[in-house]
Amino acid sequence: MARRKETKVDHSAFDRAGARVIDNPLTTEVSDSYLEYAFSVIHSRALPDARDGLKPVHRRILWSMYEQGHRPDRAHVKSARIVGDAMGKYHPHGDTAIYDAMVRLAQDFSLNVPLIDGHGNFGSPDDGPAAARYTEARMSREAMLLVGELGEDTVDVEPNYDGSLTQPTVLPAAFPNLLVNGAAGIAVGMATNMIPHNLGEVVAAARWLIRHPNATLDKLMEFVPGPDLPTGGMLLGLDEVRRAYETGRGVVRMRGKVEIGPLEGSRGRQAITVVELPYGVGAEKVIAAITNEVTKTKRLTGIADVKDLTDRESGTRLVIECKVGVNPQALLADLYRLTPLEQSFGVNNLVLVDGQPRTLGLKELLEVFLAHRYEVVTRRSAYRKRRREERLHLVDGLLVALLDIDKVVKLIRGSEDAQAARSGLMRQFGLSETQANYILDTPLRRLTKYDRLELEAEQQKLRAEIAELSTILDDDNVLKKVVSDELAAVVKQFAAPRRTTLVDGDLKEVLAASVPAGPLEVADDPCQVILSATGLVARTAAESEESAEGRRRHGRVKHDAVRAVVHTTARGRVLLVTSAGRAFKVDVLPLPVLPEQAGTVSLRGGMSAAELVSLEPGETVVGLAPLGALAEGSPGLALGTRHGVVKVCAPDWPVRSDEFEVIGLRDGDAVVGATWLTDGAETLAFLTSAAALLRFPAGTIRPQGLKGGGMAGVAVPSGARVVFFGAVRTDDAEHGEPMVVTSTGATVKVTPLSAYPAKGRATGGVRAHRFLKGETDVVVGWVGPRPVGSTANGDAVELPAADPRRDGSGFAVMLGPAVVGHQIDRE
């Protein structure tokens, strides 16, 4: 028994080799091992350093490439070679993991400033890259800003994993890489997810912080209003962005940027074209989500087809075709809600500061970076000063020798050996051992008179540089200025315009406001298409005949004046007539709906006519006309030109063409006005810059075909032009009495049309405005009921009261570059 007990004690204390065995509880052993593993993952793998913004694997890849000479001015090399060098020397992990990390540094859709210049297939948001044996890479020019000062003792170094080599603990980083490119990583019990920003904006904030260390967050956000994503898109809810900048945590909402317009080659069908996607989202993910929602869940309706037309020339282009009669705005809201076209990004600025994980806000991140740059520039300046002092010491010694070169040569020739020559130089000329050795090693060809002049110039230059470097080391203000100037130089060379559009406000409120009212399917109800005097086109909300009955009223207009109105339906088409005599068929559905509150319609929500049709330089839209059943029974379209030509174009429009000419114009002529005639009982009116008004019945003009050039309408004196042409009814008291508005820019006059007698076509008309001293012509004119005036910017201008004198001079109302029109007529 005693022997068995003794044997048991021996086995528990020693192993067979005689080594001591420590008895440790399993829970303690697991806990200790797990903590060591967690610390290794946090410190050496998953979290970026706040100073250079890199994880160890990225830092080691760039250091290995820098050391091997794979720089921007060298040829690309195989990615497999780069991965092998990094793995064998500095990062003893899997080659797949190293290659994946390297690929991200080369993707312009992942980083705002790619650090690797890749050649070959480095992937897309949907697809992975080609194998490392197929791709090639080298460092980008921007990456040189991170490693360019490594040879000047700017950062500490440490042994590599086996102690055979050294590697930097951090890179000098000449720009705030962490904020510019962002980072993502999952450690043990913690994770980081940092969103990219614009280089120019971040540097501007950093430079302001250099000059104003106590700057507030709100002030810094004047320079960095929000993230800037490599893929562009929109970012919603800047209140949440501010929260993330303040605390280091927050959730922002990203949206793809779209264009809504007619589908090319179709009639009455709209398309939603995605031109920018949310960060990290590919077109295939969106298509897969749409397919799933359309075919399986049935929650997404109204889509006819989806096409991915993305290529390198046009960039992202995902075309979502709407079914006929579908409201594209309502469909877009469903796409945002049900597909990755809208994504959330959880900001978590967890980084390593002095080896410890910390969550930092915007200001703290900038402060850590600037502190790093102060240290780098200080160490760099000390290194450069030391090297220049060493060189100056040698130059001083060589110049001493050159002053009495004959004695130096004689002393060297008379010495028994190098040691004796060195001692003689040091004793006779007061040189140090370093200087004496340098003189002995200097070839005789360097001891000429010309070399002496070069050495004296180098001596002066070295002393100036040493003084400059000493100033940097001794004066913190100079140091800060150097850092600021270097950051400015980086921006000047590498800054890029902002890609992401920021939408201000609270996230919940922004999302609620972006959901359009109304059903997905748009009924073909009556509505009005409006052309404003400043060239905006829009439509009113469609309404049923029952709701329209009894609502004949004169609505009030804000922010512009109405030039033309046609009645149509929501799914109908209208004709846009331009000053070049061209006409375009345009669908009504894609036109923006004017907001209405308390009987007032704002025209500021309209769409520029240039966004609907392709206009030549100087060409403008001057009139509207209905199409389809609403155009039946009309004599046609009345046109008046700058030279006084009048034409009624018969409504025999081409069936297969959406663009055609409606009048043959002579050189220098242009269409001034185009008005749709309802029954031919209208009165046509010309107003010239010579202050003459001519009115005559529209029924006297014989309709012509599309190629007709019209006939003489009003006699225009030499040097004058027509400033207004239109058709007005004199038998419709319900819409108000027609008025004539004339303006010379200094005075404005409003006169009843009844004060002007009718004259025959092709005559000069009657005087409509008496010029005062200094006035030469009428610059603005208009004829019709309910006149209103506005500036070219859409601001209202109050017109004077009606003056019964047709040849009066008007009142002093400064319209300037103004326009005149009428109030909207809602039926």
Side-chain angles (χ1 to χ4, degrees):
M1 294 291 293
R3 186 182 302 172
R4 291 179 183 175
K5 184 176 182 181
E6 182 180 355
T7 304
K8 181 178 180 181
V9 171
D10 290 342
H11 277 85
S12 64
F14 301 93
D15 64 8
R16 291 182 179 180
R20 182 74 176 178
V21 177
I22 300 174
D23 188 7
N24 202 19
L26 178 62
T27 56
T28 303
E29 183 66 27
V30 171
S31 175
D32 291 346
S33 299
Y34 186 76
L35 287 176
E36 290 181 8
Y37 164 75
F39 177 78
S40 175
V41 172
I42 292 171
H43 187 269
S44 303
R45 187 177 300 180
L47 299 185
D49 193 295
R51 295 170 292 178
D52 62 5
L54 298 173
K55 299 179 186 179
V57 61
H58 298 129
R59 187 179 304 115
R60 290 165 182 169
I61 290 172
L62 292 177
W63 164 243
S64 176
M65 294 180 72
Y66 176 74
E67 190 183 39
Q68 296 299 317
H70 306 319
R71 304 179 186 181
D73 56 346
R74 310 282 179 85
H76 292 83
V77 298
K78 285 292 184 181
S79 299
R81 174 180 172 184
I82 297 172
V83 171
D85 288 337
M87 179 172 59
K89 294 180 179 180
Y90 305 108
H91 198 69
H93 297 277
D95 57 342
T96 301
I98 297 175
Y99 183 55
D100 288 345
M102 172 187 159
V103 163
R104 185 178 186 276
L105 296 180
Q107 293 175 336
D108 57 1
F109 55 85
S110 295
L111 305 184
N112 274 330
V113 180
L115 302 179
I116 287 181
D117 176 15
H119 181 69
N121 178 15
F122 277 80
S124 69
D126 290 307
D127 301 313
R133 61 183 179 274
Y134 297 122
T135 62
E136 299 177 344
R138 62 185 178 188
M139 299 180 71
S140 68
R141 294 188 303 149
E142 294 87 343
M144 296 303 298
L145 297 174
L146 298 183
V147 301
E149 301 159 305
L150 280 175
E152 297 181 288
D153 191 29
T154 52
V155 295
D156 295 333
V157 296
E158 61 184 2
N160 67 337
Y161 67 92
D162 63 359
S164 62
L165 299 169
T166 59
Q167 61 189 10
T169 59
V170 67
L171 298 185
F175 68 93
N177 175 61
L178 184 59
L179 278 167
V180 171
N181 282 328
I186 301 176
V188 178
M190 58 186 68
T192 184
N193 200 30
M194 301 188 65
I195 198 164
H197 292 79
N198 183 272
L199 173 63
E201 295 175 355
V202 172
V203 168
R207 296 186 67 203
W208 179 266
L209 192 59
I210 291 174
R211 299 190 299 271
H212 306 85
N214 298 322
T216 63
L217 177 60
D218 291 330
K219 184 61 181 179
L220 294 178
M221 286 189 66
E222 293 181 11
F223 302 98
V224 187
D228 187 26
L229 306 175
T231 54
M234 298 186 295
L235 197 141
L236 313 181
L238 294 191
D239 288 355
E240 193 69 23
V241 171
R242 191 192 186 285
R243 189 175 297 110
Y245 284 168
E246 183 176 10
T247 65
R249 291 178 178 269
V251 179
V252 297
R253 192 68 66 92
M254 305 176 295
R255 271 187 179 176
K257 189 175 294 184
V258 303
E259 297 174 353
I260 298 178
L263 180 63
E264 186 176 352
S266 69
R267 287 174 174 261
R269 179 176 292 181
Q270 300 293 304
I272 300 173
T273 303
V274 182
V275 295
E276 293 177 5
L277 287 165
Y279 184 48
V281 176
E284 291 183 9
K285 295 180 182 178
V286 178
I287 294 175
I290 292 175
T291 303
N292 180 68
E293 295 293 341
V294 171
T295 60
K296 295 182 179 180
T297 65
K298 309 292 185 181
R299 293 187 298 175
L300 195 58
T301 60
I303 296 179
D305 194 10
V306 182
K307 297 178 181 178
D308 186 6
L309 304 180
T310 302
D311 56 38
R312 292 186 177 181
E313 293 184 1
S314 58
T316 301
R317 194 166 184 82
L318 181 62
V319 181
I320 303 170
E321 299 178 8
C322 306
K323 293 181 179 178
V324 176
V326 167
N327 181 358
Q329 295 291 346
L331 177 58
L332 179 59
D334 288 341
L335 288 170
Y336 283 144
R337 180 171 55 89
L338 299 172
T339 72
L341 273 181
E342 181 174 302
Q343 290 276 72
S344 295
F345 189 100
V347 178
N348 185 14
N349 297 337
L350 184 66
V351 294
L352 291 177
V353 180
D354 297 329
Q356 300 297 319
R358 289 180 54 191
T359 302
L360 303 182
L362 175 64
K363 183 176 181 180
E364 290 78 9
L365 287 168
L366 290 173
E367 288 174 339
V368 171
F369 167 75
L370 290 177
H372 176 56
R373 285 304 298 171
Y374 295 152
E375 180 182 0
V376 166
V377 174
T378 299
R379 294 180 61 165
R380 183 190 69 193
S381 300
Y383 174 85
R384 292 177 178 178
K385 179 184 177 183
R386 185 168 62 252
R387 293 297 300 270
R388 282 157 177 76
E389 288 174 341
E390 292 172 356
R391 175 60 184 170
L392 179 62
H393 184 62
L394 297 177
V395 171
D396 288 343
L398 194 56
L399 284 173
V400 169
L402 286 175
L403 288 175
D404 206 348
I405 187 62
D406 294 335
K407 289 184 179 181
V408 171
V409 172
K410 183 178 180 181
L411 186 151
I412 294 174
R413 293 187 63 185
S415 300
E416 294 183 358
D417 53 25
Q419 178 61 36
R422 183 184 306 109
S423 300
L425 289 173
M426 295 170 60
R427 181 179 58 258
Q428 186 169 347
F429 294 96
L431 301 175
S432 67
E433 183 177 355
T434 302
Q435 290 173 323
N437 285 331
Y438 185 67
I439 292 172
L440 292 174
D441 293 337
T442 300
L444 287 175
R445 66 175 183 270
R446 291 293 312 278
L447 304 181
T448 64
K449 178 180 179 182
Y450 179 74
D451 284 304
R452 175 182 173 183
L453 296 176
E454 282 188 340
L455 288 172
E456 288 177 346
E458 184 182 1
Q459 183 186 52
Q460 295 178 357
K461 180 181 178 182
L462 289 170
R463 287 174 178 172
E465 291 177 349
I466 291 171
E468 182 180 350
L469 292 169
S470 298
T471 304
I472 296 174
L473 295 171
D474 297 338
D475 192 333
D476 287 341
N477 291 328
V478 177
L479 172 64
K480 292 179 179 180
K481 185 178 185 305
V482 170
V483 172
S484 179
D485 292 344
E486 290 179 354
L487 287 173
V490 170
V491 170
K492 184 177 180 180
Q493 186 175 6
F494 296 106
R498 164 171 282 277
R499 300 181 178 94
T500 302
T501 301
L502 303 176
V503 181
D504 199 1
D506 179 75
L507 181 58
K508 293 182 179 179
E509 295 179 357
V510 171
L511 292 176
S514 63
V515 177
L520 179 64
E521 297 285 343
V522 177
D524 198 21
D525 291 331
C527 66
Q528 293 176 330
V529 175
I530 302 170
L531 172 64
S532 81
T534 58
L536 301 179
V537 184
R539 65 181 173 94
T540 59
E543 55 186 19
S544 64
E545 294 183 4
E546 291 79 4
S547 61
E549 186 66 27
R551 291 188 60 191
R552 292 177 60 87
R553 57 183 172 84
H554 303 311
R556 292 190 303 108
V557 165
K558 294 193 306 181
H559 305 140
D560 211 334
V562 175
R563 182 166 191 169
V565 178
V566 296
H567 296 273
T568 181
T569 60
R571 295 192 189 179
R573 308 184 89 192
V574 295
L575 202 67
L576 268 61
V577 184
T578 74
S579 57
R582 297 193 296 165
F584 297 86
K585 296 178 183 178
V586 175
D587 294 314
V588 174
L589 192 60
L591 298 179
V593 179
L594 294 178
E596 180 177 357
Q597 292 181 349
T600 300
V601 174
S602 173
L603 290 176
R604 191 159 286 175
M607 175 188 295
S608 173
E611 299 179 39
L612 292 170
V613 295
S614 299
L615 300 178
E616 298 295 332
E619 186 179 10
T620 60
V621 174
V622 297
L624 298 173
L627 290 174
L630 294 174
E632 295 178 0
S634 169
L637 182 68
L639 304 163
T641 74
R642 181 187 301 159
H643 294 168
V645 175
V646 64
K647 176 185 178 181
V648 174
C649 186
D652 187 17
W653 315 132
V655 176
R656 299 188 176 216
S657 177
D658 288 343
E659 176 186 346
F660 49 89
E661 291 187 358
V662 290
I663 185 174
L665 294 173
R666 296 183 178 180
D667 293 341
D669 204 0
V671 177
V672 174
T675 306
W676 183 253
L677 302 178
T678 57
D679 56 6
E682 293 87 353
T683 294
L684 301 183
F686 278 96
L687 184 62
T688 71
S689 61
L693 185 145
L694 174 64
R695 51 178 289 199
F696 52 87
T700 62
I701 307 299
R702 177 178 55 83
Q704 296 179 328
L706 296 178
K707 300 297 183 181
M711 58 189 70
V714 62
V716 181
S718 177
R721 69 190 187 283
V722 173
V723 296
F724 172 83
F725 169 81
V728 62
R729 300 196 73 94
T730 58
D731 57 353
D732 190 1
E734 185 176 354
H735 288 77
E737 180 182 6
M739 308 297 288
V740 177
V741 182
T742 55
S743 172
T744 62
T747 59
V748 176
K749 184 171 67 70
V750 179
T751 312
L753 180 61
S754 58
Y756 299 86
K759 296 289 184 178
R761 180 182 61 82
T763 64
V766 297
R767 187 165 69 172
H769 196 107
R770 180 168 55 85
F771 294 137
L772 298 176
K773 184 177 180 180
E775 296 178 337
T776 59
D777 57 359
V778 171
V779 295
V780 175
W782 187 82
V783 180
R786 307 180 310 282
V788 293
S790 71
T791 67
N793 296 326
D795 298 325
V797 174
E798 185 176 355
L799 298 179
D803 184 354
R805 301 172 300 166
R806 64 176 178 83
D807 60 347
S809 298
F811 300 89
V813 176
M814 297 301 293
L815 276 179
V819 293
V820 178
H822 60 90
Q823 297 283 358
I824 183 175
D825 176 30
R826 294 290 304 275
E827 293 191 5

